[in-house]
Amino acid sequence: MKIVGISASPRRQGNTEFLLDKALEGAQTAGAEITKIVLNECCYSPCQECGGCDNSGICTVMDDMTDIYRQIDVADAIIVASPIFFGSIAAQLKMMIDRYQCYWIRKYILKRTREKRKGFFICVGGQNRQDFFQNAEKLVRIFFANIDVIYTGALFYPGINDKGKIQEYAGALKEAYERGENIARDVE
Ligand SMILES: Cc1cc2nc3c(=O)[nH]c(=O)nc-3n(C[C@H](O)[C@H](O)[C@H](O)COP(=O)(O)O)c2cc1C
């Protein structure tokens, strides 16, 4: 059982990454093989709308997305984690999602289907704005639907700003850990 975690924060050892690490730790304890992708350390362009995938459903842009597609393809479940940036997900994640246009082609034009997997979302923001979390959640739901991942829920943490501040919230880390465990048990 493989679980892939995707961190969209540019801040290493930041709140998003701490939460994602806890969820992955929980998943690993429950028997999953885990992989973490830190988007900010990957080199990929936004979708160029070049039409290169129009007939094949395969992106023709050669960059780190090639490996990201492969990792997510073989995952039994995925956990996406992002900070709130200007009321939405971080650009690193939006750029990755847009590069899944080739999967939109596979699903809606080429009518290819695949076995459904499960996905989960973790999101942290400095303000206490539920509408911002809802915006972010909507985008992640759209992404999951495009790649045949069932949205199984989210954990939202408002009011967390300083780097690593989430470490002071033992309950939040425990919650993320337990969600990770549950995701892995659910997949088994
Ligand atoms: C460019 C930028 C934009 C941000 N925009 C928002 C925002 O609109 N709403 C909010 O609640 N927090 C916002 N924040 C605060 C981050 O969501 C918050 O600091 C979060 O804990 C960062 O997580 P990280 O440590 O994983 O990067 C913003 C931070 C940055 C750097």
Side-chain angles (χ1 to χ4, degrees):
M1 180 213 335
K2 288 188 201 307
I3 298 191
V4 172
I6 300 154
S7 173
S9 173
R11 192 153 69 170
R12 295 305 310 264
Q13 315 286 286
N15 301 313
T16 305
E17 198 172 6
F18 271 120
L19 288 162
L20 179 63
D21 284 350
K22 275 289 162 199
L24 290 174
E25 200 184 309
Q28 193 170 36
T29 308
E33 183 187 324
I34 55 159
T35 305
K36 180 167 74 172
I37 298 169
V38 178
L39 291 176
N40 202 54
E41 306 222 325
C42 300
C43 189
Y44 55 102
S45 74
C47 176
Q48 299 300 299
E49 225 176 350
C50 61
C53 63
D54 279 358
N55 297 320
S56 64
I58 297 169
C59 184
T60 52
V61 179
M62 288 297 135
D63 57 18
D64 286 354
M65 276 306 299
T66 309
D67 192 51
I68 294 173
Y69 293 135
R70 195 180 52 76
Q71 301 272 17
I72 294 181
D73 277 350
V74 298
D76 299 299
I78 67 172
I79 304 170
V80 171
S82 178
I84 293 287
F85 279 1
F86 286 95
S88 186
I89 54 174
Q92 286 83 344
L93 179 57
K94 183 62 166 68
M95 254 170 67
M96 185 201 84
I97 291 174
D98 288 355
R99 287 290 298 277
Y100 273 86
Q101 171 63 6
C102 47
Y103 282 63
W104 187 92
I105 297 280
R106 289 180 201 192
K107 187 175 168 80
Y108 295 104
I109 307 295
L110 304 177
K111 311 280 185 207
R112 285 194 210 146
T113 53
R114 64 158 297 168
E115 195 188 328
K116 293 227 183 325
R117 288 105 28 94
K118 292 197 171 158
F120 189 74
F121 182 40
I122 297 173
C123 193
V124 55
Q127 296 168 280
N128 195 355
R129 290 281 302 254
Q130 282 308 310
D131 54 334
F132 289 175
F133 288 108
Q134 283 159 8
N135 277 345
E137 180 180 42
K138 199 171 285 179
L139 293 170
V140 172
R141 276 179 177 275
I142 292 168
F143 169 54
F144 281 1
N146 186 41
I147 60 167
D148 291 316
V149 166
I150 298 163
Y151 187 84
T152 63
L155 289 174
F156 298 141
Y157 297 102
I160 310 287
N161 239 325
D162 295 342
K163 183 177 175 181
K165 182 81 181 166
I166 198 74
Q167 283 180 288
E168 294 170 21
Y169 295 79
L173 297 175
K174 183 168 178 276
E175 191 174 38
Y177 179 91
E178 287 172 355
R179 248 354 144 84
E181 264 186 327
N182 288 342
I183 292 164
R185 294 213 175 104
D186 214 27
V187 167
E188 262 182 332

